[in-house]
Amino acid sequence: IGTVAALDAELNGVATFNLSPAWTIAKNTTKTLTIKGTVNAYGSAVSGGSHTLNLASNANVTSSGSQSGTDITETVTAATGTAQTVYRTKVLVDKASSSPSGSSVVAANSDVLEVNVTANAAYDAVVRVAAITMSGSANMTSTGNAFLYKSTDLTTPLATEAYVTTLCSAGTTTLTVASTAGIPVGSNVRVNINAGTAVNTKVTAVTAATTLVVSPAVTACDGGTSAVTYRPMQPGIGKLFFGAQTTVTDGDQGVNVITSGDTTLTLGSTDGFSVGDTLVVKGYTAAGVEVTSTAGGVIATIPNATTVTVSALTLAGTINPTYLSGTAANAIVNGHNSVAVAYTGLINTSGQVISAGASATTFVVKGDTTSTGTAGTTATLRADIAAIGNMNWTDKLNYGITTITKNLPITGGTLTFTY
């Protein structure tokens, strides 16, 4: 019916369509007008930019009686399309045909999940973080670590999550332990509550070097010899984290800025972070200069779901977390609208590159599935990427993309162990 070359402005632009020939709509009938637009190729587009086409008011529609020719006062007040977010590339995730299921054996470094990841032919993508949900009935006795590999190299891990055990002297919701180091917030831990009895619970905070907060509460953790154990393969309500990344919105030396010397940071989520991790902060100054912390950031405590305390950060400038996302002009100049981020332990140190348009990169999750049960019984274990936000990637512009990964979530195969 009509084509308009472009909107008349970069921000809040307008396109006017003059229908030729004009539509005639018979009485008691409905016609659907479809409006399509082509997003500019990168270089003239913003990674993470949101675009919505709409008829803003009845004044945006001109119509008249088909016989009288008299203008009609439209009754429509507005018609707004769904917001479309665009990135420089996209990522597709699928469970690999080689991903295991069915009868399995309990052993160290067992294969529990394989997923294929591909990037659109437009540009490379970089996978930075993955969180794996372990479910099932197995109770692990393992002391081994969990690993993330590429299928082409099952010797050199891209990321490792270590087994941790620590003595627990008392507690129900707040556990007093020998050390909280290496136990991530959001992870599942197994707590011995008395001789021969243990339960699973989730870590929700680490308020001191020797204090874990868990939910649900356990009935006891006492005796001086009881243990809290983080086995990465243990099924429960927490997750196994390969790296951690989130938004960061504030420090403690200014309002809504992150400054060199900050020791308390407000994050989007503390999931995946552990006491002893070195947290890195990255963002833009108010002058548009990208800066990354170069020292400090060692996590001392994680008091709640959005706060960490760290050794004093070293930054070459003061980060304005919303320098890009809060100002369209800044986002246009820089080609993306990222907010500032904080991260630690990324896959393959700085992220695993997924080459544009290439064959899939297959990620393999392995871990120690050693467990015990009554002779003749069975138990199950399954590894999933259970939510779209459990994989964090970038198109090499936008710092972290967690809402648009195609085909997530991924459900792994159920492994069955016979004792």
Side-chain angles (χ1 to χ4, degrees):
I1 291 175
T3 300
V4 176
L7 301 174
D8 65 2
E10 193 170 39
L11 299 176
N12 300 318
V14 174
T16 300
F17 294 92
N18 295 305
L19 306 188
S20 180
W23 268 14
T24 298
I25 304 175
K27 65 179 181 179
N28 298 323
T29 63
T30 299
K31 278 193 173 184
T32 300
L33 178 66
T34 301
I35 301 173
K36 296 183 178 182
T38 299
V39 178
N40 288 337
Y42 179 71
S44 299
V46 172
S47 174
S50 181
H51 306 272
T52 304
L53 295 176
N54 71 303
L55 296 172
S57 73
N58 59 347
N60 293 125
V61 179
T62 300
S63 59
S64 61
S66 62
Q67 294 183 11
S68 68
T70 303
D71 287 348
I72 296 172
T73 301
E74 291 295 336
T75 57
V76 63
T77 56
T80 301
T82 303
Q84 306 289 313
T85 302
V86 298
Y87 294 98
R88 193 164 68 153
T89 190
K90 67 179 180 181
V91 160
L92 174 71
V93 183
D94 288 300
K95 185 172 70 173
S97 60
S98 54
S99 193
S101 64
S103 180
S104 189
V105 295
V106 292
N109 214 35
S110 294
D111 188 341
V112 297
L113 178 67
E114 298 186 13
V115 293
N116 294 328
V117 182
T118 54
N120 183 269
Y123 285 93
D124 292 351
V126 182
V127 176
R128 293 168 67 84
V129 168
I132 310 298
T133 297
M134 309 299 301
S135 62
S137 60
N139 286 322
M140 298 297 161
T141 58
S142 54
T143 59
N145 302 333
F147 304 98
L148 183 69
Y149 296 96
K150 283 196 297 184
S151 61
T152 53
D153 182 357
L154 297 177
T155 302
T156 308
L158 301 173
T160 300
E161 190 66 6
Y163 160 87
V164 178
T165 188
T166 182
L167 295 181
C168 180
S169 58
T172 54
T173 300
T174 302
L175 309 181
T176 301
V177 298
S179 172
T180 58
I183 302 177
V185 169
S187 67
N188 183 74
V189 293
R190 193 157 176 82
V191 181
N192 291 339
I193 59 176
N194 56 47
T197 303
V199 295
N200 296 321
T201 188
K202 180 181 177 180
V203 177
T204 60
V206 185
T207 56
T210 57
T211 308
L212 285 175
V213 181
V214 298
S215 180
V218 299
T219 57
C221 177
D222 55 23
T225 58
S226 296
V228 172
T229 307
Y230 170 50
R231 294 182 172 95
M233 290 288 106
Q234 176 63 50
I237 60 175
K239 292 185 176 70
L240 156 62
F241 298 94
F242 291 116
Q245 179 173 303
T246 187
T247 56
V248 54
T249 58
D250 204 0
D252 57 5
Q253 298 187 80
V255 179
N256 299 325
V257 295
I258 299 97
T259 302
S260 195
D262 276 342
T263 57
T264 301
L265 299 172
T266 302
L267 307 181
S269 170
T270 54
D271 279 358
F273 293 95
S274 308
V275 166
D277 288 346
T278 297
L279 178 149
V280 178
V281 175
K282 181 178 181 180
Y284 280 79
T285 70
V289 178
E290 187 180 50
V291 295
T292 303
S293 60
T294 56
V298 178
I299 298 176
T301 64
I302 308 174
N304 54 52
T306 58
T307 307
V308 294
T309 66
V310 299
S311 60
L313 292 174
T314 299
L315 284 164
T318 296
I319 291 176
N320 172 359
T322 58
Y323 170 76
L324 295 176
S325 62
T327 306
N330 292 342
I332 290 169
V333 168
N334 289 273
H336 66 106
N337 70 347
S338 291
V339 296
V341 291
Y343 54 85
T344 190
L346 299 180
I347 294 170
N348 204 14
T349 305
S350 58
Q352 175 59 48
V353 174
I354 311 298
S355 297
S359 299
T361 297
T362 302
F363 290 100
V364 179
V365 179
K366 288 177 174 278
D368 192 342
T369 61
T370 303
S371 57
T372 59
T374 303
T377 65
T378 61
T380 60
L381 181 69
R382 195 183 76 203
D384 306 329
I385 304 178
I388 194 168
N390 287 344
M391 180 175 284
N392 190 310
W393 58 277
T394 171
D395 58 4
K396 293 190 175 180
L397 288 173
N398 199 290
Y399 289 155
I401 302 168
T402 58
T403 60
I404 202 168
T405 312
K406 189 171 177 59
N407 287 354
L408 289 183
I410 294 293
T411 300
T414 299
L415 305 177
T416 303
F417 307 120
T418 300
Y419 302 108

